[in-house]
Amino acid sequence: MATQYGIAGTTAKGIAASVERGVAEGTLSPGAALPPVRRLADELGVSAGTVATAYKELRQRGIVVTRGRGGTVVAAAPAVASRRPPKVPAGLRDLAGGHPDPELLPHLVPPSRLSPGARSHRATPRVARLEDAVRDWLGPDGVPAGGVTFAHGALDLIGRLLSVELRPGDAVAMEDPGYHHLLDLVTALGLRTVPVAVDEEGIRPDALRSALRAGVRALVCSPRAQNPCGGYFSAERRDALVEVLQEEPEVLVVENDHASAVAGAPLHTLTSGGLTRWVHVRTVSKFLGTDLRWAAAACDPVSLARHDGRMLLTSGWVSHLLQETVYGLMTDEGTRALVARAQETYELRRTTLVGELALRGIAAAGVSGMNVWVPVRDESAVVNGLRSYGWWVAAGARFRLLSGPGVRISVAELEPADAARLASDFAAVLGESEATYGG
């Protein structure tokens, strides 16, 4: 509890710094309640307004959240202490990480021609031939690729865009359940998340319309391989979503196509619908290598200028060595063949598990990508139950806002021969859970 940590300070900034220090050191853990404003003011001998200002600053910076009558508590993923996944217990089969199969990734070979000497790339931040390769990559999928830019991964690019476009307290429509690092990022930027329900065709038009009416200024979504549920936009769903978005043309639409080449589903992109403000982001970590922290994005002219203007003042550019490495892999025929095999392999592993679960009466979602989402009544009971059988899966709590409980199973390294055993163990765990808690 917060009462075990002595919050200090006589000014709003001092009080905020004291709380931040407690969070960074781990003394104030996620969910810990801070004292009510008036009580802390009395303890510190300051005005209630001073404490309220400190709490407001902490909220804007994503360190604490306010829960109405529940008071002010440390955020689940405070901006000063990154939330890391639980450590996989020894001896368990890890199906929680969401990483690609290392056997299906190419060997990374740095370019032989290194960047000569010390010089600035600010005038030409992007390797021209990689720009051309990106346009060739995006164009056939219907993404307008006139203006492209690069960043150090999708989170880097999305975080920069949202920080330029929005201000603390602004609302962002987010998939629910959705990618936990994006949910954490939005909170860390001091923005409000507005949940948008998803199904096997991605975000639902009715839920999006409700979010727009709530005043969101941006939407972040996945057109395929939605994490954690594996949905993807059909052409009909894309058209329905574009129709809704055209009602609010100034809303920034960020489309995160993180799995692209191994998604196992066609791309029906929102960016082809004539929207005013849009960004389509792609990364390569799922199929070229997890250490390739590089993202490409096609943007409308305003978003492109704002992103690149901010990047110019911060990191400046993405390493040309990294760009040359990505270009070499993207244009290598052997790598292309390996990526195609990876896409087929992930599809087989995903569909096999979904099918084995269905044979045992267990409904699961996962029509694209490398994750399967299984709705359950008690996440902890299922996670701990599967642990006793030697499996480690991800509890759904970190992916959810208002949606129901579930667990995420990453199938990238789950051979079809093992899927039947996992499904049988899953059914046994559900049976044990019902026996314990009632059917």
Side-chain angles (χ1 to χ4, degrees):
M1 296 293 293
T3 53
Q4 297 174 331
Y5 174 77
I7 298 175
T10 57
T11 66
K13 288 190 176 298
I15 295 168
S18 176
V19 172
E20 181 175 345
R21 186 164 54 251
V23 173
E25 293 173 351
T27 312
L28 288 174
S29 58
L34 301 189
V37 169
R38 291 190 180 278
R39 193 178 85 198
L40 183 58
D42 290 342
E43 292 174 359
L44 299 178
V46 300
S47 70
T50 298
V51 175
T53 300
Y55 282 11
K56 179 180 179 181
E57 179 181 338
L58 291 166
R59 282 196 304 274
Q60 290 178 337
R61 293 173 49 219
I63 298 173
V64 303
V65 295
T66 300
R67 293 179 174 171
R69 294 184 178 179
T72 299
V73 302
V74 177
V80 296
S82 60
R83 175 171 57 172
R84 291 175 172 81
K87 186 177 181 179
V88 181
L92 298 188
R93 181 78 177 275
D94 182 12
L95 301 178
H99 307 301
D101 186 341
E103 296 298 321
L104 295 172
L105 295 175
H107 296 293
L108 298 185
V109 180
S112 58
R113 188 168 52 117
L114 301 181
S115 181
R119 60 191 178 91
S120 172
H121 292 301
R122 291 183 187 274
T124 54
R126 293 180 291 279
V127 172
R129 59 180 181 170
L130 182 56
E131 274 193 291
D132 292 339
V134 166
R135 291 190 175 92
D136 292 341
W137 186 25
L138 300 176
D141 285 331
V143 178
V148 300
T149 190
F150 302 156
H152 303 95
L155 291 170
D156 174 63
L157 187 143
I158 294 171
R160 187 175 296 109
L161 278 168
L162 294 181
S163 66
V164 170
E165 294 283 343
L166 279 64
R167 295 293 178 266
D170 286 345
V172 182
M174 303 292 293
E175 296 167 330
D176 183 24
Y179 182 38
H180 58 96
H181 285 311
L182 276 173
L183 297 175
D184 292 349
L185 173 63
V186 169
T187 299
L189 292 173
L191 305 171
R192 292 186 295 113
T193 56
V194 176
V196 180
V198 301
D199 58 24
E200 288 196 341
E201 292 185 74
I203 55 176
R204 288 172 23 195
D206 59 330
L208 176 59
R209 180 171 280 110
S210 295
L212 293 177
R213 289 173 177 170
V216 300
R217 294 194 55 200
L219 163 68
V220 181
C221 62
S222 300
R224 52 185 171 178
Q226 195 273 340
N227 189 357
C229 295
Y232 72 93
F233 294 163
S234 64
E236 294 77 16
R237 175 61 58 88
R238 184 268 317 277
D239 293 345
L241 292 172
V242 168
E243 183 178 349
V244 173
L245 288 167
Q246 286 175 341
E247 299 172 9
E248 298 290 344
E250 293 307 310
V251 169
L252 175 66
V253 177
V254 181
E255 194 174 66
N256 180 21
D257 191 19
H258 66 97
S260 59
V262 292
L267 176 68
H268 298 291
T269 175
L270 298 174
T271 66
S272 64
L275 302 177
T276 303
R277 301 298 313 283
W278 58 271
V279 181
H280 179 89
V281 187
R282 284 192 187 177
T283 50
V284 296
S285 59
K286 294 297 184 187
F287 51 90
L288 294 185
T290 54
D291 207 35
L292 291 177
R293 311 313 300 167
W294 174 84
C299 317
D300 71 82
V302 173
S303 298
L304 180 68
R306 290 178 178 176
H307 172 272
D308 286 1
R310 178 61 60 88
M311 190 170 188
L312 183 68
L313 298 173
T314 53
S315 58
W317 65 88
V318 175
S319 163
H320 280 209
L321 299 182
L322 174 58
Q323 292 188 50
E324 291 286 2
T325 300
V326 171
Y327 175 80
L329 291 170
M330 288 181 66
T331 56
D332 177 69
E333 290 300 325
T335 300
R336 288 178 175 175
L338 180 61
V339 171
R341 182 160 69 88
Q343 185 272 317
E344 294 172 357
T345 302
Y346 294 145
E347 183 172 8
L348 174 62
R349 293 174 180 177
R350 184 186 69 251
T351 56
T352 299
L353 178 60
V354 171
E356 291 290 349
L357 290 169
L359 288 174
R360 292 158 180 81
I362 302 171
V367 293
S368 65
M370 55 182 68
N371 295 307
V372 170
W373 177 261
V374 187
V376 299
R377 185 174 56 181
D378 188 325
E379 293 178 1
S380 296
V382 171
V383 170
N384 290 324
L386 287 174
R387 176 177 179 174
S388 69
Y389 285 89
W391 307 102
W392 186 246
V393 302
R398 59 181 174 152
F399 302 95
R400 299 188 290 108
L401 295 171
L402 297 178
S403 56
V407 296
R408 190 193 74 171
I409 303 173
S410 295
V411 301
E413 296 185 73
L414 183 67
E415 295 288 352
D418 295 328
R421 181 168 65 89
L422 172 59
S424 294
D425 292 342
F426 205 116
V429 168
L430 292 182
E432 293 164 2
S433 176
E434 287 185 2
T436 301
Y437 299 106

